Amino acid sequence: MSSKRVSIKDIAKEAGVSTALVSYVINGNEKEKRVGKEIAAKIREIAKKLNYQPNQVAKSLRSGSTKTIGLVIADISNPFFANIARVVEDEARRKGYTVIIGSCDEKAEKAWDLINVLINRQVDGFIIVASEHSEEQIAHLRERNIPFVLLDRHFPELNTDFVATDNFTASFDACKHLIDNGYRKIGLIAYRLDMQHMKERITGYQEAMKENQIALNPQWLVEVEFENLQQEVAYAIDDFLKMEDKPEALIFATYGLAINGLRYINELQLKVPDDFAVVSFGQAEIFELYYCPITYMLQPLEDLGTKAVEVLLAKVKNKETPLTQVLMKARLIEQKSSEMKK
Amino acid sequence: MSSKRVSIKDIAKEAGVSTALVSYVINGNEKEKRVGKEIAAKIREIAKKLNYQPNQVAKSLRSGSTKTIGLVIADISNPFFANIARVVEDEARRKGYTVIIGSCDEKAEKAWDLINVLINRQVDGFIIVASEHSEEQIAHLRERNIPFVLLDRHFPELNTDFVATDNFTASFDACKHLIDNGYRKIGLIAYRLDMQHMKERITGYQEAMKENQIALNPQWLVEVEFENLQQEVAYAIDDFLKMEDKPEALIFATYGLAINGLRYINELQLKVPDDFAVVSFGQAEIFELYYCPITYMLQPLEDLGTKAVEVLLAKVKNKETPLTQVLMKARLIEQKSSEMKK
DNA sequence: AACGCATATTTAATCGTTTAAACATACACA
DNA sequence: TGTGTATGTTTAAACGATTAAATATGCGTT
């Protein structure tokens, strides 16, 4: 059995009417358009019999709306993004939209390509977890009047819609928690990134230290490059160990940093929390499963994702929707890795 | 600055020619179609000036090909699927295709919805990581002559194209490895699933035991339900512990089972590998980061993914392509969790 | 001058759907 | 008989691209 797709024309022919009537009936406009009762019933019956499925591509061309949103992230194989993707997918589907996910590895060039492909595919809007140096792309979208909302990261100087975690407070809380538990020499491993969310994770830490009268030792703050992550993190920890004023607690500013840091700490046969107490950003089973479960700042992924979809779709429906900027609080999940200093 | 999208008509008007010529030039058919040199140059120039981007939706409608493939998986937030998705995405993009990923939580109904949405969106083909009870859907696709390839799991009675791991051998090797390292009482925790890949993981284990003259204790083989996973795994381990002939080594048939199993083992303050040696399927940082790194069967995700795309696109280009069925070998990654029995 | 041929360009149909506008028919009422 | 109104249905253009077929023009040959 082959099977050409059934179109509205086939139904029209079989029913002996014009395609207009079929369209009216299929879309439930038969009342408004005054389609005859028997004809309507006949059309519905035939559509069912032939298992008619509307061609979304034709609809999209005609209507100018594809009911599709593009989700631009760094890497779908990273659990943080994968979790976001899942939330966005579910919420979008609930509202009749399909999501196209694209990974750009934090590379501006890949992101450009990706965005262009998606624009050509006429996505109705974008949810973007932005990378460094993507201001230009964002500005481009705005110029072309394509709806988008930034998720998790934003550029304060661009004044766009965004939905993100309050990273300053999260980092402040993480550090404060360690201080409360008796640690005073606290190191922070972050990325060297010219991005607001990372900067806030740094200033939050600094502010918490200051506010608790702890002199900031600049050596305690290490910013590593994205490339060669594993080595960079190892060097950072090596350096900590060599210091006179060696940190007794570490904050990892992302999940990826924590993974690499903990791996190296294991390799050195150091113990958490005795050699280093630990608090991390990000979330994954791993933090529960580590021999010493890791305290972390739980970002409200579910809320972030659904809110982003909501904000975007409002924008899609009405481009004049006023700017929406949402900050959500992270929650401290206390575990053994940061327990009260002995 | 607003910005209506630039179409081929706009270029044609500006150049004072018909849309046909513009189309020829844009698509590089100017030689074949004998477009005048100066005109061609002019068209190209104008296209550039106006930053023309072809409307992929219109192209799709006209050509009947969307250059899109649907990837149907259980859950994008599961690292196994996320990794597959990444490989598929990259390979597809390399070949000019876009991927739409859909999660169906191993539910036949969700999978149906998803597949229908994607069919309506005219995807050119599907890569499907099938769930239980999805034979009907698969058969449906075949009847409608829509190209697809099964990935990671397949239904032997359906005789479709597929690309999968040789699970029998993988499981055999996992078990054999434990036996070689001195363990003889070996438990297997698997899903109760009517699916080939799971069955093979069971028979592989059984075969390895038999071949090494180890009497199979049926209590050592536990099949748990997908629902209430955490509890079910805990019960299974409780049961093991109560047995006279308690297993000294465990094989987890999936990543999810391992996560839950290891969490519970931690909770009971049992030690790997002394209380239980462990080998698992799946892969993730976690297996390296656990206090006792976990031995696992590394599935060749990269190869599986790229091959699946290759097979599918061959099918898309020519529906008469002969059946392609590929089995790939998993590789044992030996770590401390299965070291030689003391 | 007539024809053939090569070159260059336009016309118009097509993909599947939506929808404003035109058309047709019946009936009520003056 | 004509006019108005309600009801039911068709026509045809449009979305943006592709492409077979038609057309136009110039040139060389006889």
Side-chain angles (χ1 to χ4, degrees):
Chain A
M1 294 299 108
S2 98
S3 43
K4 244 199 87 288
R5 290 208 44 155
V6 176
S7 81
I8 235 172
K9 263 188 208 159
D10 301 317
I11 301 181
K13 201 191 294 181
E14 174 121 1
V17 297
S18 72
T19 60
L21 279 198
V22 179
S23 174
Y24 294 148
V25 172
I26 299 277
N27 293 298
N29 296 327
E30 55 192 276
K31 286 273 144 60
E32 192 191 342
K33 300 293 182 171
R34 304 185 289 244
V35 179
K37 267 197 162 188
E38 328 74 49
I39 296 264
K42 189 172 177 191
I43 286 172
R44 252 192 302 275
E45 189 196 334
I46 293 174
K48 192 159 192 179
K49 189 183 79 187
L50 299 183
N51 185 29
Y52 168 74
Q53 301 287 127
N55 181 325
Q56 182 62 42
V57 172
K59 278 177 115 112
S60 294
L61 178 59
R62 168 70 211 216
S63 70
S65 153
T66 52
K67 291 269 191 182
T68 302
I69 73 190
L71 173 62
V72 179
I73 58 181
D75 180 10
I76 188 66
S77 67
N78 173 320
F80 175 73
F81 297 110
N83 277 297
I84 282 191
R86 181 60 205 264
V87 175
V88 169
E89 182 196 334
D90 284 354
E91 181 67 8
R93 177 140 62 232
R94 196 168 300 128
K95 303 198 165 172
Y97 279 72
T98 297
V99 179
I100 299 181
I101 304 167
S103 302
C104 64
D105 293 317
E106 312 258 5
K107 302 257 171 65
E109 198 199 333
K110 280 199 187 184
W112 262 128
D113 286 354
L114 188 58
I115 288 178
N116 276 326
V117 167
L118 294 178
I119 289 178
N120 295 354
R121 284 174 182 269
Q122 314 288 118
V123 297
D124 293 342
F126 286 93
I127 294 178
I128 299 179
V129 185
S131 309
E132 209 179 10
H133 312 311
S134 54
E135 291 93 330
E136 222 187 317
Q137 298 163 33
I138 307 294
H140 176 74
L141 289 179
R142 184 157 50 184
E143 261 168 45
R144 298 198 39 187
N145 206 18
I146 297 171
F148 68 92
V149 47
L150 301 188
L151 178 53
D152 185 55
R153 304 150 183 208
H154 67 106
F155 301 98
E157 69 279 19
L158 276 184
N159 204 30
T160 65
D161 296 76
F162 67 79
V163 178
T165 307
D166 178 350
N167 283 294
F168 176 88
T169 304
S171 186
F172 184 97
D173 290 349
C175 188
K176 181 70 164 33
H177 164 69
L178 284 167
I179 295 170
D180 288 347
N181 276 2
Y183 303 92
R184 296 186 62 83
K185 301 179 190 176
I186 300 171
L188 171 67
I189 300 188
Y191 281 119
R192 182 185 314 289
L193 266 189
D194 187 22
M195 290 202 60
Q196 184 71 2
H197 73 294
M198 198 49 70
K199 286 183 184 161
E200 285 179 3
R201 288 182 190 184
I202 292 172
T203 55
Y205 152 82
Q206 291 170 327
E207 206 50 46
M209 297 289 266
K210 272 190 221 155
E211 210 166 88
N212 288 272
Q213 287 80 42
I214 304 181
L216 278 171
N217 181 338
Q219 290 188 288
W220 290 344
L221 166 59
V222 182
E223 295 175 74
V224 304
E225 299 289 336
F226 195 73
E227 320 290 321
N228 246 33
L229 187 52
Q230 194 168 347
Q231 275 219 331
E232 295 249 338
V233 172
Y235 287 153
I237 292 176
D238 282 341
D239 287 347
F240 282 153
L241 293 171
K242 278 187 225 137
M243 290 173 58
E244 244 171 67
D245 222 16
K246 146 176 137 49
E248 51 197 4
L250 295 181
I251 299 173
F252 291 105
T254 76
Y255 170 77
L257 291 166
I259 294 297
N260 282 284
L262 293 171
R263 182 185 289 140
Y264 190 62
I265 286 174
N266 273 1
E267 214 174 302
L268 297 177
Q269 315 238 16
L270 297 174
K271 285 294 166 221
V272 175
D274 298 334
D275 294 304
F276 288 120
V278 168
V279 176
S280 178
F281 276 76
Q283 73 203 92
E285 292 108 344
I286 195 150
F287 290 157
E288 316 271 348
L289 253 183
Y290 196 64
Y291 67 89
C292 167
I294 301 294
T295 297
Y296 59 95
M297 298 306 304
L298 174 66
Q299 287 164 275
L301 287 194
E302 189 102 6
D303 294 340
L304 286 170
T306 46
K307 188 70 185 174
V309 172
E310 182 191 320
V311 172
L312 177 64
L313 293 189
K315 209 87 188 174
V316 166
K317 262 149 220 163
N318 174 10
K319 298 203 177 185
E320 307 312 320
T321 306
L323 221 53
T324 315
Q325 303 187 327
V326 183
L327 278 186
M328 294 182 170
K329 293 279 180 278
R331 192 154 62 88
L332 177 74
I333 306 294
E334 278 187 61
Q335 305 210 75
K336 195 155 177 292
S337 75
S338 61
E339 67 185 357
M340 189 63 74
K341 192 177 164 189
K342 285 162 198 157
Chain B
M1 295 299 108
S2 100
S3 42
K4 243 198 87 287
R5 290 211 41 158
V6 177
S7 83
I8 233 172
K9 261 190 209 158
D10 300 317
I11 301 182
K13 199 190 297 180
E14 174 123 359
V17 298
S18 72
T19 61
L21 280 197
V22 179
S23 174
Y24 294 149
V25 172
I26 299 277
N27 293 297
N29 295 327
E30 54 192 276
K31 284 272 145 56
E32 193 191 341
K33 299 294 184 172
R34 303 184 289 244
V35 179
K37 269 195 161 189
E38 329 72 51
I39 297 265
K42 189 171 176 188
I43 288 171
R44 251 192 303 275
E45 190 197 334
I46 293 173
K48 192 158 191 182
K49 187 182 84 189
L50 300 183
N51 185 29
Y52 169 73
Q53 302 286 128
N55 182 323
Q56 183 63 42
V57 172
K59 279 176 113 117
S60 294
L61 177 59
R62 167 70 211 219
S63 70
S65 153
T66 53
K67 292 270 191 179
T68 302
I69 73 191
L71 173 61
V72 180
I73 59 181
D75 179 10
I76 189 65
S77 68
N78 173 318
F80 175 73
F81 296 111
N83 277 296
I84 283 191
R86 181 60 205 263
V87 174
V88 168
E89 181 197 334
D90 285 353
E91 182 66 8
R93 178 141 60 231
R94 197 168 299 124
K95 302 197 166 173
Y97 280 72
T98 297
V99 179
I100 299 181
I101 304 167
S103 302
C104 64
D105 294 318
E106 313 257 4
K107 303 260 172 61
E109 198 199 333
K110 280 199 187 186
W112 263 128
D113 286 353
L114 188 58
I115 288 177
N116 276 325
V117 167
L118 294 179
I119 288 179
N120 294 355
R121 283 172 184 271
Q122 313 288 118
V123 297
D124 293 341
F126 286 94
I127 294 178
I128 299 180
V129 185
S131 308
E132 209 179 11
H133 312 310
S134 53
E135 291 92 330
E136 219 187 318
Q137 298 163 33
I138 307 292
H140 176 73
L141 289 179
R142 183 156 53 184
E143 261 168 45
R144 299 200 35 189
N145 205 19
I146 296 171
F148 68 91
V149 46
L150 301 188
L151 179 52
D152 185 55
R153 305 149 183 208
H154 66 106
F155 301 98
E157 70 278 19
L158 277 185
N159 205 31
T160 66
D161 296 76
F162 68 78
V163 177
T165 307
D166 178 349
N167 283 294
F168 177 87
T169 305
S171 185
F172 185 97
D173 290 350
C175 188
K176 180 71 166 31
H177 163 70
L178 285 166
I179 296 171
D180 288 346
N181 276 1
Y183 302 93
R184 296 185 62 82
K185 302 179 190 174
I186 301 172
L188 171 66
I189 301 189
Y191 281 119
R192 182 184 316 288
L193 266 189
D194 187 22
M195 293 203 57
Q196 184 71 2
H197 74 295
M198 198 49 69
K199 286 183 185 163
E200 285 179 3
R201 287 181 191 185
I202 293 173
T203 56
Y205 152 83
Q206 291 171 326
E207 206 50 46
M209 297 288 268
K210 273 190 220 156
E211 209 165 89
N212 288 273
Q213 286 82 44
I214 305 181
L216 277 171
N217 181 338
Q219 291 190 286
W220 291 343
L221 167 59
V222 182
E223 295 175 75
V224 304
E225 299 289 337
F226 195 74
E227 320 292 320
N228 246 32
L229 186 52
Q230 194 167 345
Q231 276 219 333
E232 294 250 336
V233 172
Y235 288 153
I237 291 175
D238 283 340
D239 287 346
F240 282 153
L241 292 170
K242 281 187 223 135
M243 290 173 59
E244 243 171 69
D245 222 14
K246 142 178 141 47
E248 53 197 3
L250 296 180
I251 299 174
F252 291 105
T254 74
Y255 169 78
L257 292 166
I259 294 297
N260 282 284
L262 292 172
R263 181 185 289 141
Y264 191 60
I265 286 173
N266 274 2
E267 214 173 300
L268 297 177
Q269 314 238 21
L270 297 174
K271 285 296 165 219
V272 174
D274 297 335
D275 295 305
F276 288 120
V278 168
V279 176
S280 178
F281 276 76
Q283 73 202 90
E285 290 109 344
I286 195 150
F287 290 156
E288 316 271 349
L289 253 184
Y290 197 63
Y291 67 89
C292 167
I294 301 294
T295 297
Y296 60 96
M297 298 306 304
L298 175 67
Q299 286 165 275
L301 286 194
E302 188 102 6
D303 294 341
L304 287 169
T306 46
K307 188 71 185 173
V309 173
E310 183 191 319
V311 172
L312 177 63
L313 293 189
K315 210 86 186 173
V316 166
K317 262 150 221 164
N318 175 9
K319 298 203 177 185
E320 306 312 321
T321 306
L323 222 55
T324 315
Q325 303 186 327
V326 183
L327 279 186
M328 294 181 172
K329 294 278 181 281
R331 192 154 62 87
L332 177 74
I333 306 294
E334 279 188 58
Q335 305 208 77
K336 195 153 176 293
S337 74
S338 62
E339 67 186 357
M340 188 66 72
K341 191 179 164 190
K342 286 161 197 159

